[in-house]
Amino acid sequence: MTPSARLSAAIDLLAAMEATPQRPADALANAFFRERRYIGGGDRRAISARVWRILRHWRRLHWWIERAGMQPTPRLLALAMMALDPQGRENPDDLFTGERYAPLGLTGPERRLSDQLQDQALTHPDMRRAVVLEVPDWLLPRLERTFGDGLEAELAAMEGEATLDLRVNLLKSDRPTARAALAADGIQSEDTTLSPWGLRVAGRQPVTSCAAFRSGMVEIQDEGSQLVVAAVGARPGMRVLDYCAGAAGKTLGMAMTMENRGHIVACDVSEPRLDGAVRRLRRAGVHNAERHLLVAGDRWARRRSGSFDRVLVDAPCTGTGTWRRNPDARLRLRERDLLELTAKQADIIDRAASLVRPGGRMVYATCSILREENGDQIAAFLARNPAFSMVTPDGVDDDLPPGLAVDGQVRLTPRQHHTDGFFAAIVQRDS
């Protein structure tokens, strides 16, 4: 595809996102490219990179366009990003040519907007702080409560691109062998600094088509998610429950640390998500796991009360820790969503706690950076459940790097740890 055709496709993808604002951008992009199989891998990456760059600067681009008295549209957003992009500005006349597969030439108002923005910085002194930081106005006080004076640096790190991390499946390989297998397919990687099983891949590489992935030697998993698995400390012979398993990404990791010995149950309320786990479990060579669909009135949990050595609650959350990957998520997040999620989290953690055996442990985890979903949530749980307490420093599992868990809690951010934002709290039931 020509650069102009790529730009035209990016504008079309932005229009599709505008038409269905509540649908995640990555799901829309996947559907968009599936319907256009003639777009090759390199073109897909270039188109996605342009769109995601616009999503990361959404509020500031809107501010500039509205300041010029115009209504933001996908075309104007793309034009404004070209004029304001700190990574390198493009000449719109080179791309808005009106030729085959290219966007139509600029109108008079569009050219005036482009000319007005040419000498401007992306951020303007008149912008409100929430606009500068690319967050909803209602969320800003909560983020300030979480990070204090470090907020701007933390959110700046979230504007960068997410890393591509892999977890080596120790059931089938080790890090040196997996690294060599990836290199044989032209994919360079290096050991992660925090996870004992992780590899970080340079750039955006087609990992899923390489032999190491197809054989189950590696699995795509952010280093922060791997550290949540490490916090659980699942070991051979244990009975382990993944209470909100989804497609079983962390189930795979825990089965690995259990060396396929013992028993692990992956639960979820979504049958499609659990069904999606089957192929992943098979590819990874996991055979000590079963799946269970949680439904209303189910007696399954009651019959297994107090029977699990380890329970992981990877709770549904706002996903604010994944904004590097999903910058559109902050545009969709509403205050009502947070209130509903915190109530749901409290209910889930109480239900899951009843399944922990005396002396066993529960790990409560989110991919959120908000205190309401993290520290506040676990403090409220401990107040309601005096039989549980935070683990002591000497009780933290050896798979976690020393000092990463403070008072039984792990807090990860892109700026401090180069991972997604994750939280994990390790609590133990009195024996």
mmCIF file of all heavy atoms in Angstrom, residues 225-272:
data_model
loop_
_atom_site.group_PDB
_atom_site.id
_atom_site.type_symbol
_atom_site.label_atom_id
_atom_site.label_comp_id
_atom_site.label_asym_id
_atom_site.label_seq_id
_atom_site.Cartn_x
_atom_site.Cartn_y
_atom_site.Cartn_z
ATOM 1 N N SER A 225 1.679 -9.517 34.350
ATOM 2 C CA SER A 225 0.770 -10.644 34.529
ATOM 3 C C SER A 225 1.534 -11.878 34.997
ATOM 4 O O SER A 225 1.037 -12.657 35.833
ATOM 5 C CB SER A 225 0.045 -10.934 33.212
ATOM 6 O OG SER A 225 -0.847 -12.011 33.343
ATOM 7 N N GLN A 226 2.741 -12.073 34.486
ATOM 8 C CA GLN A 226 3.567 -13.191 34.940
ATOM 9 C C GLN A 226 3.897 -13.052 36.425
ATOM 10 O O GLN A 226 3.948 -14.058 37.162
ATOM 11 C CB GLN A 226 4.857 -13.242 34.119
ATOM 12 C CG GLN A 226 4.659 -13.513 32.647
ATOM 13 C CD GLN A 226 5.958 -13.526 31.869
ATOM 14 O OE1 GLN A 226 6.966 -14.047 32.342
ATOM 15 N NE2 GLN A 226 5.955 -12.948 30.673
ATOM 16 N N LEU A 227 4.098 -11.824 36.883
ATOM 17 C CA LEU A 227 4.426 -11.612 38.294
ATOM 18 C C LEU A 227 3.229 -11.876 39.197
ATOM 19 O O LEU A 227 3.404 -12.243 40.366
ATOM 20 C CB LEU A 227 4.959 -10.192 38.496
ATOM 21 C CG LEU A 227 6.326 -9.941 37.832
ATOM 22 C CD1 LEU A 227 6.668 -8.456 37.850
ATOM 23 C CD2 LEU A 227 7.426 -10.747 38.532
ATOM 24 N N VAL A 228 2.021 -11.683 38.683
ATOM 25 C CA VAL A 228 0.834 -12.082 39.443
ATOM 26 C C VAL A 228 0.844 -13.592 39.650
ATOM 27 O O VAL A 228 0.562 -14.092 40.746
ATOM 28 C CB VAL A 228 -0.457 -11.628 38.723
ATOM 29 C CG1 VAL A 228 -1.683 -12.221 39.408
ATOM 30 C CG2 VAL A 228 -0.551 -10.107 38.705
ATOM 31 N N VAL A 229 1.190 -14.340 38.604
ATOM 32 C CA VAL A 229 1.326 -15.794 38.724
ATOM 33 C C VAL A 229 2.373 -16.133 39.780
ATOM 34 O O VAL A 229 2.179 -17.022 40.627
ATOM 35 C CB VAL A 229 1.708 -16.421 37.370
ATOM 36 C CG1 VAL A 229 2.063 -17.897 37.528
ATOM 37 C CG2 VAL A 229 0.567 -16.257 36.377
ATOM 38 N N ALA A 230 3.503 -15.419 39.756
ATOM 39 C CA ALA A 230 4.560 -15.660 40.741
ATOM 40 C C ALA A 230 4.065 -15.407 42.154
ATOM 41 O O ALA A 230 4.445 -16.112 43.102
ATOM 42 C CB ALA A 230 5.771 -14.782 40.428
ATOM 43 N N ALA A 231 3.204 -14.390 42.325
ATOM 44 C CA ALA A 231 2.703 -14.060 43.662
ATOM 45 C C ALA A 231 1.840 -15.172 44.239
ATOM 46 O O ALA A 231 1.778 -15.348 45.458
ATOM 47 C CB ALA A 231 1.896 -12.758 43.605
ATOM 48 N N VAL A 232 1.172 -15.944 43.378
ATOM 49 C CA VAL A 232 0.313 -17.031 43.860
ATOM 50 C C VAL A 232 1.149 -18.125 44.515
ATOM 51 O O VAL A 232 0.754 -18.707 45.531
ATOM 52 C CB VAL A 232 -0.525 -17.604 42.704
ATOM 53 C CG1 VAL A 232 -1.341 -18.811 43.173
ATOM 54 C CG2 VAL A 232 -1.442 -16.535 42.136
ATOM 55 N N GLY A 233 2.295 -18.432 43.933
ATOM 56 C CA GLY A 233 3.149 -19.466 44.518
ATOM 57 C C GLY A 233 2.544 -20.851 44.451
ATOM 58 O O GLY A 233 2.692 -21.656 45.381
ATOM 59 N N ALA A 234 1.861 -21.173 43.345
ATOM 60 C CA ALA A 234 1.292 -22.513 43.178
ATOM 61 C C ALA A 234 2.420 -23.523 43.000
ATOM 62 O O ALA A 234 3.329 -23.307 42.210
ATOM 63 C CB ALA A 234 0.366 -22.535 41.968
ATOM 64 N N ARG A 235 2.342 -24.643 43.719
ATOM 65 C CA ARG A 235 3.411 -25.634 43.710
ATOM 66 C C ARG A 235 2.858 -27.041 43.435
ATOM 67 O O ARG A 235 1.659 -27.283 43.603
ATOM 68 C CB ARG A 235 4.161 -25.611 45.043
ATOM 69 C CG ARG A 235 5.011 -24.349 45.243
ATOM 70 C CD ARG A 235 6.170 -24.317 44.254
ATOM 71 N NE ARG A 235 6.975 -23.103 44.343
ATOM 72 C CZ ARG A 235 6.880 -22.098 43.500
ATOM 73 N NH1 ARG A 235 5.998 -22.135 42.514
ATOM 74 N NH2 ARG A 235 7.664 -21.040 43.622
ATOM 75 N N PRO A 236 3.723 -27.969 43.005
ATOM 76 C CA PRO A 236 3.268 -29.329 42.694
ATOM 77 C C PRO A 236 2.479 -29.943 43.854
ATOM 78 O O PRO A 236 2.857 -29.807 45.023
ATOM 79 C CB PRO A 236 4.572 -30.084 42.446
ATOM 80 C CG PRO A 236 5.533 -29.039 41.965
ATOM 81 C CD PRO A 236 5.182 -27.803 42.739
ATOM 82 N N GLY A 237 1.367 -30.604 43.515
ATOM 83 C CA GLY A 237 0.548 -31.289 44.508
ATOM 84 C C GLY A 237 -0.532 -30.435 45.137
ATOM 85 O O GLY A 237 -1.398 -30.960 45.834
ATOM 86 N N MET A 238 -0.530 -29.126 44.886
ATOM 87 C CA MET A 238 -1.538 -28.253 45.490
ATOM 88 C C MET A 238 -2.870 -28.357 44.762
ATOM 89 O O MET A 238 -2.951 -28.784 43.615
ATOM 90 C CB MET A 238 -1.070 -26.791 45.454
ATOM 91 C CG MET A 238 -0.003 -26.429 46.445
ATOM 92 S SD MET A 238 0.330 -24.626 46.370
ATOM 93 C CE MET A 238 1.485 -24.451 47.737
ATOM 94 N N ARG A 239 -3.922 -27.921 45.467
ATOM 95 C CA ARG A 239 -5.228 -27.679 44.862
ATOM 96 C C ARG A 239 -5.348 -26.175 44.663
ATOM 97 O O ARG A 239 -5.288 -25.404 45.622
ATOM 98 C CB ARG A 239 -6.363 -28.186 45.752
ATOM 99 C CG ARG A 239 -6.495 -29.707 45.755
ATOM 100 C CD ARG A 239 -7.601 -30.178 46.702
ATOM 101 N NE ARG A 239 -8.870 -29.483 46.482
ATOM 102 C CZ ARG A 239 -9.742 -29.796 45.522
ATOM 103 N NH1 ARG A 239 -9.466 -30.772 44.664
ATOM 104 N NH2 ARG A 239 -10.873 -29.138 45.396
ATOM 105 N N VAL A 240 -5.503 -25.743 43.418
ATOM 106 C CA VAL A 240 -5.436 -24.328 43.061
ATOM 107 C C VAL A 240 -6.687 -23.937 42.289
ATOM 108 O O VAL A 240 -7.174 -24.704 41.440
ATOM 109 C CB VAL A 240 -4.176 -24.034 42.222
ATOM 110 C CG1 VAL A 240 -4.138 -22.582 41.774
ATOM 111 C CG2 VAL A 240 -2.919 -24.379 43.013
ATOM 112 N N LEU A 241 -7.206 -22.751 42.577
ATOM 113 C CA LEU A 241 -8.388 -22.243 41.902
ATOM 114 C C LEU A 241 -8.078 -20.900 41.246
ATOM 115 O O LEU A 241 -7.586 -19.985 41.897
ATOM 116 C CB LEU A 241 -9.532 -22.058 42.913
ATOM 117 C CG LEU A 241 -10.816 -21.393 42.400
ATOM 118 C CD1 LEU A 241 -11.473 -22.255 41.327
ATOM 119 C CD2 LEU A 241 -11.787 -21.131 43.554
ATOM 120 N N ASP A 242 -8.337 -20.812 39.948
ATOM 121 C CA ASP A 242 -8.294 -19.533 39.221
ATOM 122 C C ASP A 242 -9.739 -19.092 39.074
ATOM 123 O O ASP A 242 -10.452 -19.557 38.181
ATOM 124 C CB ASP A 242 -7.616 -19.740 37.861
ATOM 125 C CG ASP A 242 -7.316 -18.425 37.154
ATOM 126 O OD1 ASP A 242 -7.796 -17.375 37.616
ATOM 127 O OD2 ASP A 242 -6.598 -18.460 36.128
ATOM 128 N N TYR A 243 -10.175 -18.177 39.964
ATOM 129 C CA TYR A 243 -11.606 -17.921 40.121
ATOM 130 C C TYR A 243 -12.198 -17.089 38.985
ATOM 131 O O TYR A 243 -13.365 -17.241 38.659
ATOM 132 C CB TYR A 243 -11.851 -17.225 41.462
ATOM 133 C CG TYR A 243 -13.301 -17.210 41.885
ATOM 134 C CD1 TYR A 243 -13.948 -18.388 42.258
ATOM 135 C CD2 TYR A 243 -14.034 -16.023 41.913
ATOM 136 C CE1 TYR A 243 -15.280 -18.381 42.640
ATOM 137 C CE2 TYR A 243 -15.365 -16.008 42.302
ATOM 138 C CZ TYR A 243 -15.982 -17.189 42.657
ATOM 139 O OH TYR A 243 -17.299 -17.179 43.040
ATOM 140 N N CYS A 244 -11.423 -16.197 38.404
ATOM 141 C CA CYS A 244 -11.881 -15.376 37.268
ATOM 142 C C CYS A 244 -10.923 -15.623 36.113
ATOM 143 O O CYS A 244 -10.170 -14.746 35.698
ATOM 144 C CB CYS A 244 -11.925 -13.904 37.628
ATOM 145 S SG CYS A 244 -12.943 -13.501 39.074
ATOM 146 N N ALA A 245 -10.951 -16.829 35.576
ATOM 147 C CA ALA A 245 -9.879 -17.299 34.700
ATOM 148 C C ALA A 245 -9.915 -16.706 33.302
ATOM 149 O O ALA A 245 -8.885 -16.634 32.635
ATOM 150 C CB ALA A 245 -9.931 -18.830 34.606
ATOM 151 N N GLY A 246 -11.089 -16.293 32.815
ATOM 152 C CA GLY A 246 -11.163 -15.815 31.448
ATOM 153 C C GLY A 246 -10.712 -16.896 30.483
ATOM 154 O O GLY A 246 -11.166 -18.038 30.524
ATOM 155 N N ALA A 247 -9.755 -16.532 29.612
ATOM 156 C CA ALA A 247 -9.221 -17.507 28.650
ATOM 157 C C ALA A 247 -8.038 -18.269 29.216
ATOM 158 O O ALA A 247 -7.291 -18.903 28.473
ATOM 159 C CB ALA A 247 -8.824 -16.802 27.363
ATOM 160 N N ALA A 248 -7.834 -18.201 30.527
ATOM 161 C CA ALA A 248 -6.903 -19.072 31.261
ATOM 162 C C ALA A 248 -5.434 -18.717 31.077
ATOM 163 O O ALA A 248 -4.576 -19.585 31.238
ATOM 164 C CB ALA A 248 -7.140 -20.541 30.912
ATOM 165 N N GLY A 249 -5.118 -17.461 30.799
ATOM 166 C CA GLY A 249 -3.714 -17.087 30.676
ATOM 167 C C GLY A 249 -2.916 -17.346 31.937
ATOM 168 O O GLY A 249 -1.806 -17.892 31.888
ATOM 169 N N LYS A 250 -3.455 -16.980 33.088
ATOM 170 C CA LYS A 250 -2.744 -17.204 34.353
ATOM 171 C C LYS A 250 -2.876 -18.666 34.805
ATOM 172 O O LYS A 250 -1.997 -19.173 35.510
ATOM 173 C CB LYS A 250 -3.251 -16.232 35.418
ATOM 174 C CG LYS A 250 -2.933 -14.767 35.083
ATOM 175 C CD LYS A 250 -3.415 -13.832 36.179
ATOM 176 C CE LYS A 250 -3.076 -12.387 35.817
ATOM 177 N NZ LYS A 250 -3.853 -11.901 34.647
ATOM 178 N N THR A 251 -3.945 -19.330 34.391
ATOM 179 C CA THR A 251 -4.041 -20.771 34.654
ATOM 180 C C THR A 251 -2.857 -21.499 34.044
ATOM 181 O O THR A 251 -2.255 -22.389 34.676
ATOM 182 C CB THR A 251 -5.351 -21.337 34.066
ATOM 183 O OG1 THR A 251 -6.467 -20.665 34.652
ATOM 184 C CG2 THR A 251 -5.468 -22.829 34.334
ATOM 185 N N LEU A 252 -2.496 -21.132 32.819
ATOM 186 C CA LEU A 252 -1.352 -21.749 32.155
ATOM 187 C C LEU A 252 -0.080 -21.555 32.968
ATOM 188 O O LEU A 252 0.719 -22.485 33.128
ATOM 189 C CB LEU A 252 -1.161 -21.140 30.764
ATOM 190 C CG LEU A 252 -2.259 -21.378 29.728
ATOM 191 C CD1 LEU A 252 -1.970 -20.561 28.474
ATOM 192 C CD2 LEU A 252 -2.366 -22.845 29.393
ATOM 193 N N GLY A 253 0.105 -20.330 33.468
ATOM 194 C CA GLY A 253 1.307 -20.057 34.255
ATOM 195 C C GLY A 253 1.343 -20.834 35.548
ATOM 196 O O GLY A 253 2.388 -21.356 35.942
ATOM 197 N N MET A 254 0.202 -20.939 36.218
ATOM 198 C CA MET A 254 0.183 -21.668 37.483
ATOM 199 C C MET A 254 0.350 -23.166 37.269
ATOM 200 O O MET A 254 1.013 -23.846 38.065
ATOM 201 C CB MET A 254 -1.119 -21.361 38.231
ATOM 202 C CG MET A 254 -1.179 -19.918 38.734
ATOM 203 S SD MET A 254 -2.600 -19.547 39.797
ATOM 204 C CE MET A 254 -3.960 -19.681 38.634
ATOM 205 N N ALA A 255 -0.226 -23.713 36.191
ATOM 206 C CA ALA A 255 -0.008 -25.121 35.883
ATOM 207 C C ALA A 255 1.476 -25.388 35.663
ATOM 208 O O ALA A 255 1.995 -26.448 36.035
ATOM 209 C CB ALA A 255 -0.808 -25.518 34.645
ATOM 210 N N MET A 256 2.156 -24.414 35.072
ATOM 211 C CA MET A 256 3.596 -24.549 34.856
ATOM 212 C C MET A 256 4.351 -24.601 36.181
ATOM 213 O O MET A 256 5.205 -25.470 36.383
ATOM 214 C CB MET A 256 4.099 -23.379 34.012
ATOM 215 C CG MET A 256 5.602 -23.365 33.765
ATOM 216 S SD MET A 256 6.156 -21.783 33.065
ATOM 217 C CE MET A 256 6.021 -20.703 34.509
ATOM 218 N N THR A 257 4.048 -23.686 37.107
ATOM 219 C CA THR A 257 4.766 -23.698 38.387
ATOM 220 C C THR A 257 4.398 -24.924 39.217
ATOM 221 O O THR A 257 5.140 -25.310 40.122
ATOM 222 C CB THR A 257 4.484 -22.411 39.197
ATOM 223 O OG1 THR A 257 3.091 -22.335 39.537
ATOM 224 C CG2 THR A 257 4.881 -21.168 38.406
ATOM 225 N N MET A 258 3.258 -25.549 38.914
ATOM 226 C CA MET A 258 2.856 -26.793 39.583
ATOM 227 C C MET A 258 3.476 -28.019 38.912
ATOM 228 O O MET A 258 3.266 -29.136 39.372
ATOM 229 C CB MET A 258 1.332 -26.906 39.583
ATOM 230 C CG MET A 258 0.625 -25.823 40.385
ATOM 231 S SD MET A 258 -1.169 -25.797 40.091
ATOM 232 C CE MET A 258 -1.653 -27.315 40.928
ATOM 233 N N GLU A 259 4.196 -27.794 37.817
ATOM 234 C CA GLU A 259 4.844 -28.878 37.073
ATOM 235 C C GLU A 259 3.847 -29.944 36.632
ATOM 236 O O GLU A 259 4.158 -31.135 36.572
ATOM 237 C CB GLU A 259 5.981 -29.500 37.904
ATOM 238 C CG GLU A 259 7.060 -28.495 38.289
ATOM 239 C CD GLU A 259 8.092 -29.087 39.230
ATOM 240 O OE1 GLU A 259 8.084 -30.324 39.422
ATOM 241 O OE2 GLU A 259 8.892 -28.314 39.786
ATOM 242 N N ASN A 260 2.610 -29.490 36.366
ATOM 243 C CA ASN A 260 1.545 -30.389 35.905
ATOM 244 C C ASN A 260 1.121 -31.400 36.969
ATOM 245 O O ASN A 260 0.493 -32.409 36.641
ATOM 246 C CB ASN A 260 1.955 -31.129 34.623
ATOM 247 C CG ASN A 260 1.162 -30.654 33.411
ATOM 248 O OD1 ASN A 260 0.096 -30.062 33.554
ATOM 249 N ND2 ASN A 260 1.683 -30.914 32.224
ATOM 250 N N ARG A 261 1.480 -31.146 38.219
ATOM 251 C CA ARG A 261 1.113 -32.060 39.309
ATOM 252 C C ARG A 261 0.225 -31.330 40.300
ATOM 253 O O ARG A 261 0.449 -30.167 40.610
ATOM 254 C CB ARG A 261 2.366 -32.595 40.002
ATOM 255 C CG ARG A 261 3.170 -33.555 39.112
ATOM 256 C CD ARG A 261 4.357 -34.132 39.854
ATOM 257 N NE ARG A 261 5.456 -33.174 39.965
ATOM 258 C CZ ARG A 261 6.256 -33.059 41.017
ATOM 259 N NH1 ARG A 261 6.035 -33.808 42.093
ATOM 260 N NH2 ARG A 261 7.241 -32.188 41.008
ATOM 261 N N GLY A 262 -0.758 -32.022 40.814
ATOM 262 C CA GLY A 262 -1.777 -31.394 41.629
ATOM 263 C C GLY A 262 -3.005 -31.152 40.768
ATOM 264 O O GLY A 262 -3.198 -31.788 39.732
ATOM 265 N N HIS A 263 -3.851 -30.213 41.190
ATOM 266 C CA HIS A 263 -5.106 -29.994 40.478
ATOM 267 C C HIS A 263 -5.403 -28.502 40.458
ATOM 268 O O HIS A 263 -5.300 -27.815 41.476
ATOM 269 C CB HIS A 263 -6.245 -30.740 41.178
ATOM 270 C CG HIS A 263 -7.531 -30.703 40.417
ATOM 271 N ND1 HIS A 263 -7.684 -31.257 39.168
ATOM 272 C CD2 HIS A 263 -8.737 -30.170 40.746
ATOM 273 C CE1 HIS A 263 -8.925 -31.071 38.744
ATOM 274 N NE2 HIS A 263 -9.594 -30.421 39.696
ATOM 275 N N ILE A 264 -5.766 -28.009 39.263
ATOM 276 C CA ILE A 264 -6.103 -26.596 39.119
ATOM 277 C C ILE A 264 -7.449 -26.496 38.410
ATOM 278 O O ILE A 264 -7.716 -27.232 37.456
ATOM 279 C CB ILE A 264 -4.991 -25.832 38.359
ATOM 280 C CG1 ILE A 264 -5.318 -24.339 38.277
ATOM 281 C CG2 ILE A 264 -4.744 -26.415 36.977
ATOM 282 C CD1 ILE A 264 -4.147 -23.501 37.800
ATOM 283 N N VAL A 265 -8.290 -25.593 38.912
ATOM 284 C CA VAL A 265 -9.611 -25.384 38.327
ATOM 285 C C VAL A 265 -9.690 -23.949 37.814
ATOM 286 O O VAL A 265 -9.415 -22.995 38.548
ATOM 287 C CB VAL A 265 -10.733 -25.630 39.357
ATOM 288 C CG1 VAL A 265 -12.102 -25.470 38.686
ATOM 289 C CG2 VAL A 265 -10.607 -27.011 39.982
ATOM 290 N N ALA A 266 -10.055 -23.801 36.549
ATOM 291 C CA ALA A 266 -10.246 -22.485 35.941
ATOM 292 C C ALA A 266 -11.740 -22.205 35.866
ATOM 293 O O ALA A 266 -12.482 -22.904 35.175
ATOM 294 C CB ALA A 266 -9.629 -22.463 34.539
ATOM 295 N N CYS A 267 -12.182 -21.196 36.615
ATOM 296 C CA CYS A 267 -13.601 -20.834 36.667
ATOM 297 C C CYS A 267 -13.836 -19.488 35.984
ATOM 298 O O CYS A 267 -12.976 -18.614 35.995
ATOM 299 C CB CYS A 267 -14.075 -20.714 38.114
ATOM 300 S SG CYS A 267 -14.166 -22.260 39.014
ATOM 301 N N ASP A 268 -15.028 -19.334 35.441
ATOM 302 C CA ASP A 268 -15.424 -18.035 34.901
ATOM 303 C C ASP A 268 -16.930 -18.053 34.690
ATOM 304 O O ASP A 268 -17.549 -19.122 34.645
ATOM 305 C CB ASP A 268 -14.702 -17.734 33.582
ATOM 306 C CG ASP A 268 -14.633 -16.238 33.303
ATOM 307 O OD1 ASP A 268 -13.674 -15.598 33.769
ATOM 308 O OD2 ASP A 268 -15.539 -15.710 32.632
ATOM 309 N N VAL A 269 -17.507 -16.852 34.548
ATOM 310 C CA VAL A 269 -18.941 -16.748 34.281
ATOM 311 C C VAL A 269 -19.221 -16.731 32.787
ATOM 312 O O VAL A 269 -20.393 -16.740 32.379
ATOM 313 C CB VAL A 269 -19.531 -15.480 34.928
ATOM 314 C CG1 VAL A 269 -19.425 -15.559 36.443
ATOM 315 C CG2 VAL A 269 -18.843 -14.222 34.401
ATOM 316 N N SER A 270 -18.169 -16.684 31.957
ATOM 317 C CA SER A 270 -18.340 -16.622 30.506
ATOM 318 C C SER A 270 -17.949 -17.946 29.867
ATOM 319 O O SER A 270 -16.781 -18.344 29.904
ATOM 320 C CB SER A 270 -17.484 -15.493 29.916
ATOM 321 O OG SER A 270 -17.430 -15.574 28.508
ATOM 322 N N GLU A 271 -18.923 -18.611 29.259
ATOM 323 C CA GLU A 271 -18.635 -19.879 28.587
ATOM 324 C C GLU A 271 -17.730 -19.697 27.372
ATOM 325 O O GLU A 271 -16.805 -20.488 27.172
ATOM 326 C CB GLU A 271 -19.943 -20.564 28.194
ATOM 327 C CG GLU A 271 -19.743 -21.988 27.700
ATOM 328 C CD GLU A 271 -21.055 -22.735 27.575
ATOM 329 O OE1 GLU A 271 -22.122 -22.091 27.673
ATOM 330 O OE2 GLU A 271 -21.016 -23.972 27.392
ATOM 331 N N PRO A 272 -17.936 -18.659 26.539
ATOM 332 C CA PRO A 272 -17.026 -18.475 25.396
ATOM 333 C C PRO A 272 -15.573 -18.286 25.817
ATOM 334 O O PRO A 272 -14.659 -18.798 25.158
ATOM 335 C CB PRO A 272 -17.581 -17.224 24.701
ATOM 336 C CG PRO A 272 -19.031 -17.205 25.067
ATOM 337 C CD PRO A 272 -19.073 -17.718 26.477
#
